[in-house]
Amino acid sequence: MNNRLEIKNNQMINASLLFFVITSAQIGVGIHGFQNVVYDSAKQDSWIAVIVSFIFAHIVMFIMIKTLELYGGTNDFYGIHIDIYGKYIGNFFNLIYMFYCTFAFFAVCKNYIEVIVTWVFPQINSQFLYATLFIIVIYAFTGGLRVIIGVSFFSFFFSIWVLPTLLFVLPYANNNHLIPLLNDLMGIIKGTYAMTFTIVGFEIIYTLYPYVKEKKKVQKFAHLGLAGTMAGYLLLMLLAQAFFSGQQLTKTIWPTLSMFSIVRLPFFERIEIFTICSWMMIILPNLCLYMWATYRGLLRMVKISPTKYAWIFSILVIIATLFVRSRAEINMMNNILSKFAFYLVFIYPFVLFLLAWLKKKMTKSKQQVKQP
Amino acid sequence: MKKPTLIILIFCCTVLLVGCSEERILERLSLPTLIGYDVNEENTEITTTAVIRQVSPEFESRIEIQSATAPTSKGTRIDTNLKTSRKLMAGQLRVILLSENLAKNGIEGALHTTMMNSEISTSVYLAVVEGDTKDLLEYQFPSIKDIGQHIFSLIDQNVDERLTVSSTVHEVSRDLYSPYKNTVIPIIKRQEESIMIKDVGLFHKGKLVGKLPSKDVFYILLARKDVEQGTLELLLPKDGFDIDDSKQELQIDKLPIAIDSLDSKRSIKIVNSDTPEFDLTIKADCRLLEIHRSVEISKMEDLKKIEEAVNKEIKKELERVIKYGQEVGSDVFGFGDYYFTHTRNPHITEEEWSEKFKNMKVNIKTDIRVLRNGVFE
């Protein structure tokens, strides 16, 4: 294991910050419309599907951290790959993961800009919006990991005000939309699968782990972060289910945003316009963390400065956005991504853990054979 | 120049330049606050009448009424835009009026157009107009300056007072897209020189099927959900009361009373899911607001007597309103909603339910308590 990361103490982050990193990495664009997607299969039990999906996420998170702990906390996902598979195959797997991160980055900004173009500026050239968005992302990214973590921290507090405004929705709620419970188990399973696109983001722990100061507290705060996200998602799911009737919910493209549209504050007529714009603060850590994750992988192959990398990466993504244009194409892209993410985030960690564990056993027994 | 400075500069520029992307200057816009839809007899063309407010920096804002006819509502918008000097923006829309004719033919179309447009908020009120909306909007009311704002306030404050039902676009489309629930929309009408919420319209699958006068709205609300406040006027049968009516002031043989602050709790139980048969229990606390001065109310027994009569009367009225709903086939009370969510796998289709609804039995129990009266006995 000679590919250890050497991280100076001043680059490390506190374990407690993981809570904010995990929540802000998970909450992104999926939250706008996940109720619709989940309701399609799980019907009135959608909120149960949300809980079930988070139970899986907790298990996966546990396995992920266990895998990283096998390497003593000095190696990340990419290093583990190289250690297990060797340089070439390992880097090939790294490339797949980097491609996934890039894809996720692309999907986040594509979906967000689609919302802006639909609700706020129907006539604006979306490339202009990408350019503005990426300038901020580059600015945060070149600041280094600690700045990215700072952005995540602030993004959490900038977005928390959104929840109280949804209390205005309560008078319109109808609890009958939530029963009868547990009607269709197959539907719940399908709904759980449909949560994938919304729930992913916590795999950032794979790359972030070596940078955490107190390794023992990682499990605690990472799981707390997941639980925090679940609370938010569950609330939004229950509200949307009570607020919309069944068919109406499946016809509403972004239920979370449509719910805002009924809120009418005395000093603010259309709060959803403001929410959509301020949502940039929420997707910013998403974008930065994915960009950073790909950068960590690339560093294992070529030496490149962060600034140069950020520009090349952004320009490539802007070019890619030219090829996905209509809503139908975006939906197709989301489906592909969620399939991809399901295998990579929910299935692959178990395989990796098994391999890492076997490898460790073998090297240990080899050493034992050599020693006497 | 140092790099961070450069980035900050670019950042500032982009922030400031965003304002130029799609400018919407208030003085160059006209804002429709109310839109009315009419259809012709054959249901082929839509006439849109819009009440448009134009903000001007020097004078009071102007109100303009424009109407246009075209096969689609977007077409009427183009026509209207051709008639106004400023760009139309629908973001300030408060009320959508539908003519009775259109309501009878189905409101889905008009509603779908509204829901699709992200500009229009879902908290816009819907109302049906008896007759044509164009005639109502173009009538010169001497006391109403801005008819758009007037109709919005009219509906809004009556919804707050529980004198009519809330029928925002969201609520109506929620009921419409729910297979076993029907919606209610207030019906307004011009009466001499003013506008009045005269009736409430009962819908079945987006089509107007029946009407109840506004004074019955409270019974619909009572059967529908918990009501925190509201006022009710009742005509109790006179007999049984100890009335000191020596001056013969009470001409009619009914005793009118008014109660308010009704804080009601509604609960439903399915007794028999085949017929189906429901138990509807309404519990409420209220305050005696008005009663003829000749009736003695200082004693405990007197109040009990009044309570009993009130219970009986509310029960009778509820039965009548629910019966009417059954006759026209409009389940605005939420029985279907309850039935489908509280029976596992009911195995009946929408059509079967409509039949069942017409034959269902409702046993009403009321428990109304008069907690207090005014400051003078």
Side-chain angles (χ1 to χ4, degrees):
Chain A
M1 282 190 252
N2 50 2
N3 52 9
R4 280 201 181 141
L5 288 174
E6 303 225 338
I7 298 155
K8 285 185 208 117
N9 211 21
N10 63 0
Q11 283 181 327
M12 304 277 246
I13 57 164
N14 280 324
S16 55
L17 284 173
L18 266 182
F19 173 81
F20 302 104
V21 178
I22 298 290
T23 46
S24 59
Q26 279 192 288
I27 298 176
V29 286
I31 197 169
H32 288 158
F34 74 106
Q35 297 102 327
N36 165 1
V37 189
V38 179
Y39 192 89
D40 261 346
S41 29
K43 301 292 168 207
Q44 72 271 32
D45 294 324
S46 301
W47 61 278
I48 299 175
V50 173
I51 296 177
V52 173
S53 71
F54 269 92
I55 291 172
F56 278 117
H58 275 290
I59 297 170
V60 171
M61 176 69 103
F62 179 77
I63 290 294
M64 278 178 173
I65 298 174
K66 276 284 166 225
T67 318
L68 290 158
E69 274 173 0
L70 284 178
Y71 282 78
T74 49
N75 224 332
D76 62 3
F77 188 61
Y78 299 113
I80 294 173
H81 269 163
I82 291 174
D83 183 56
I84 292 176
Y85 303 116
K87 199 181 169 194
Y88 293 104
I89 303 176
N91 269 332
F92 172 70
F93 274 89
N94 286 353
L95 267 178
I96 291 178
Y97 184 71
M98 281 158 64
F99 175 71
Y100 161 74
C101 288
T102 317
F103 197 0
F105 179 95
F106 177 65
V108 168
C109 51
K110 190 84 215 173
N111 279 293
Y112 177 62
I113 302 289
E114 175 70 15
V115 174
I116 291 206
V117 170
T118 315
W119 284 79
V120 193
F121 298 122
Q123 272 123 30
I124 206 167
N125 180 354
S126 52
Q127 261 60 47
F128 172 74
L129 288 172
Y130 287 113
T132 27
L133 186 63
F134 288 166
I135 285 171
I136 310 169
V137 175
I138 292 170
Y139 179 68
F141 174 78
T142 47
L145 179 65
R146 291 172 72 104
V147 173
I148 297 176
I149 304 296
V151 170
S152 313
F153 180 77
F154 281 108
S155 131
F156 180 83
F157 286 102
F158 275 131
S159 56
I160 202 87
W161 65 269
V162 165
L163 294 176
T165 53
L166 281 171
L167 292 179
F168 286 91
V169 169
L170 279 182
Y172 298 94
N174 179 357
N175 300 337
N176 279 347
H177 293 153
L178 300 174
I179 37 186
L181 286 180
L182 296 171
N183 211 27
D184 175 15
L185 280 179
M186 202 54 216
I188 297 180
I189 294 167
K190 276 188 195 151
T192 310
Y193 172 72
M195 273 296 288
T196 315
F197 179 69
T198 318
I199 206 174
V200 292
F202 61 90
E203 68 275 7
I204 195 72
I205 194 80
Y206 263 153
T207 27
L208 200 62
Y209 184 76
Y211 289 86
V212 184
K213 236 185 238 164
E214 308 104 316
K215 296 281 190 296
K216 276 185 191 154
K217 287 189 186 164
V218 170
Q219 285 278 15
K220 181 177 148 200
F221 284 105
H223 285 291
L224 268 179
L226 275 180
T229 321
M230 180 175 81
Y233 280 177
L234 196 60
L235 180 76
L236 281 171
M237 180 54 104
L238 286 171
L239 275 177
Q241 272 191 266
F243 183 67
F244 296 103
S245 68
Q247 270 185 50
Q248 192 190 12
L249 187 55
T250 53
K251 276 178 185 270
T252 310
I253 297 163
W254 295 299
T256 308
L257 298 176
S258 292
M259 276 198 289
F260 279 117
S261 140
I262 205 137
V263 179
R264 195 178 252 167
L265 300 179
F267 55 94
F268 222 117
E269 182 86 12
R270 301 294 296 278
I271 193 113
E272 84 264 26
I273 304 283
F274 184 66
T275 324
I276 291 167
C277 296
S278 71
W279 213 267
M280 199 204 69
M281 263 321 281
I282 297 170
I283 65 155
L284 194 57
N286 255 286
L287 298 176
C288 291
L289 286 167
Y290 278 129
M291 198 186 213
W292 181 78
T294 21
Y295 178 62
R296 296 303 311 166
L298 196 67
L299 268 189
R300 301 247 173 199
M301 299 173 209
V302 272
K303 284 268 164 291
I304 184 168
S305 81
T307 327
K308 216 192 242 169
Y309 162 76
W311 283 101
I312 295 171
F313 185 85
S314 312
I315 289 166
L316 283 178
V317 172
I318 290 191
I319 291 169
T321 58
L322 293 170
F323 297 102
V324 183
R325 295 179 64 90
S326 68
R327 178 80 55 75
E329 282 166 352
I330 292 176
N331 285 342
M332 201 177 74
M333 177 192 79
N334 290 349
N335 286 339
I336 296 171
L337 178 65
S338 73
K339 221 173 246 167
F340 194 6
F342 180 74
Y343 291 117
L344 201 72
V345 178
F346 281 90
I347 308 284
Y348 183 63
F350 294 98
V351 180
L352 188 68
F353 176 74
L354 208 69
L355 290 173
W357 184 73
L358 283 176
K359 168 108 189 180
K360 185 138 197 181
K361 272 262 156 122
M362 275 156 66
T363 44
K364 242 187 201 166
S365 54
K366 258 184 207 166
Q367 278 168 354
Q368 275 166 353
V369 171
K370 270 179 195 170
Q371 267 169 3
Chain B
M1 224 191 295
K2 270 165 72 189
K3 246 182 205 162
T5 343
L6 186 71
I7 289 176
I8 291 171
L9 207 72
I10 297 172
F11 178 68
C12 290
C13 285
T14 42
V15 165
L16 294 174
L17 286 173
V18 159
C20 308
S21 65
E22 264 175 56
E23 46 184 34
R24 292 170 188 174
I25 296 164
L26 196 58
E27 285 82 28
R28 291 184 206 159
L29 297 177
S30 46
L31 309 164
T33 52
L34 184 148
I35 290 180
Y37 291 116
D38 292 312
V39 284
N40 61 355
E41 289 296 321
E42 296 86 44
N43 198 11
T44 49
E45 277 193 330
I46 302 174
T47 305
T48 310
T49 313
V51 178
I52 299 164
R53 175 186 271 264
Q54 292 183 333
V55 181
S56 85
E58 293 100 27
F59 315 105
E60 270 182 76
S61 35
R62 260 177 335 116
I63 305 299
E64 203 178 289
I65 291 166
Q66 288 290 358
S67 73
T69 310
T72 64
S73 71
K74 188 75 195 170
T76 59
R77 185 164 169 179
I78 295 168
D79 267 13
T80 316
N81 214 350
L82 287 171
K83 286 182 195 164
T84 47
S85 55
R86 295 157 173 198
K87 193 176 155 196
L88 281 174
M89 299 295 293
Q92 282 292 323
L93 192 68
R94 301 290 166 93
V95 183
I96 295 175
L97 294 181
L98 310 163
S99 74
E100 208 177 347
N101 219 347
L102 186 129
K104 278 180 182 154
N105 281 317
I107 56 169
E108 277 120 325
L111 203 64
H112 192 252
T113 317
T114 323
M115 292 295 284
M116 258 177 97
N117 193 344
S118 70
E119 245 184 293
I120 300 170
S121 150
T122 48
S123 58
V124 170
Y125 282 116
L126 281 174
V128 174
V129 174
E130 212 176 293
D132 274 347
T133 59
K134 196 174 174 219
D135 300 339
L136 175 86
L137 295 176
E138 285 182 347
Y139 186 81
Q140 295 289 332
F141 293 98
S143 58
I144 300 169
K145 239 185 185 173
D146 178 354
I147 188 166
Q149 187 62 35
H150 178 82
I151 293 179
F152 169 70
S153 313
L154 178 79
I155 298 174
D156 196 46
Q157 66 101 352
N158 279 303
V159 168
D160 270 355
E161 292 294 314
R162 309 287 188 281
L163 293 175
T164 191
V165 281
S166 171
S167 61
T168 56
V169 166
H170 167 71
E171 284 161 304
V172 172
S173 75
R174 182 180 68 189
D175 294 346
L176 202 63
Y177 286 116
S178 161
Y180 31 75
K181 223 174 157 189
N182 296 127
T183 198
V184 253
I185 299 180
I187 299 178
I188 61 173
K189 198 197 172 188
R190 177 174 74 83
Q191 269 197 338
E192 304 302 322
E193 302 296 305
S194 63
I195 305 171
M196 183 189 170
I197 307 177
K198 205 172 143 265
D199 297 308
V200 59
L202 278 67
F203 283 73
H204 178 72
K205 292 198 176 166
K207 287 190 173 127
L208 182 69
V209 288
K211 273 187 208 178
L212 280 170
S214 279
K215 70 173 177 51
D216 289 341
V217 164
F218 199 75
Y219 297 109
I220 297 181
L221 291 177
L222 270 183
R224 232 184 179 190
K225 55 182 181 186
D226 300 348
V227 184
E228 298 96 44
Q229 53 140 323
T231 315
L232 197 56
E233 187 204 35
L234 294 167
L235 288 173
L236 305 179
K238 209 164 145 192
D239 42 292
F241 286 106
D242 181 19
I243 299 171
D244 172 29
D245 196 16
S246 50
K247 290 173 199 156
Q248 294 289 316
E249 283 174 36
L250 218 54
Q251 298 288 325
I252 43 174
D253 53 346
K254 294 270 181 178
L255 176 69
I257 76 163
I259 51 179
D260 84 336
S261 312
L262 261 167
D263 183 9
S264 82
K265 294 266 176 296
R266 158 260 207 193
S267 58
I268 300 186
K269 242 198 215 145
I270 302 175
V271 186
N272 180 351
S273 61
D274 292 333
T275 329
E277 190 178 344
F278 294 95
D279 267 355
L280 176 70
T281 314
I282 288 163
K283 279 187 182 169
D285 293 339
C286 65
R287 183 172 75 150
L288 189 61
L289 200 70
E290 214 175 282
I291 193 161
H292 195 263
R293 65 180 172 80
S294 57
V295 181
E296 194 65 39
I297 52 168
S298 53
K299 270 189 240 134
M300 183 84 172
E301 300 90 73
D302 297 328
L303 272 176
K304 272 265 157 331
K305 234 182 234 166
I306 292 171
E307 245 176 48
E308 231 169 69
V310 165
N311 270 315
K312 228 187 229 165
E313 185 64 21
I314 287 182
K315 190 181 162 187
K316 202 183 93 198
E317 294 285 288
L318 266 172
E319 266 165 3
R320 179 177 62 82
V321 170
I322 292 173
K323 186 115 200 113
Y324 181 78
Q326 279 178 292
E327 268 166 30
V328 296
S330 175
D331 179 13
V332 295
F333 316 101
F335 287 111
D337 191 31
Y338 191 86
Y339 183 79
F340 276 83
T341 50
H342 288 80
T343 0
R344 228 165 245 280
N345 306 318
H347 293 304
I348 57 169
T349 58
E350 275 177 55
E351 283 73 34
E352 280 169 351
W353 168 250
S354 326
E355 270 314 300
K356 278 197 164 188
F357 172 71
K358 285 187 179 169
N359 302 320
M360 72 166 189
K361 259 180 79 182
V362 184
N363 311 318
I364 301 169
K365 279 178 207 148
T366 52
D367 180 13
I368 317 277
R369 294 184 56 206
V370 179
L371 289 189
R372 52 185 72 86
N373 39 33
V375 288
F376 186 76
E377 285 183 341

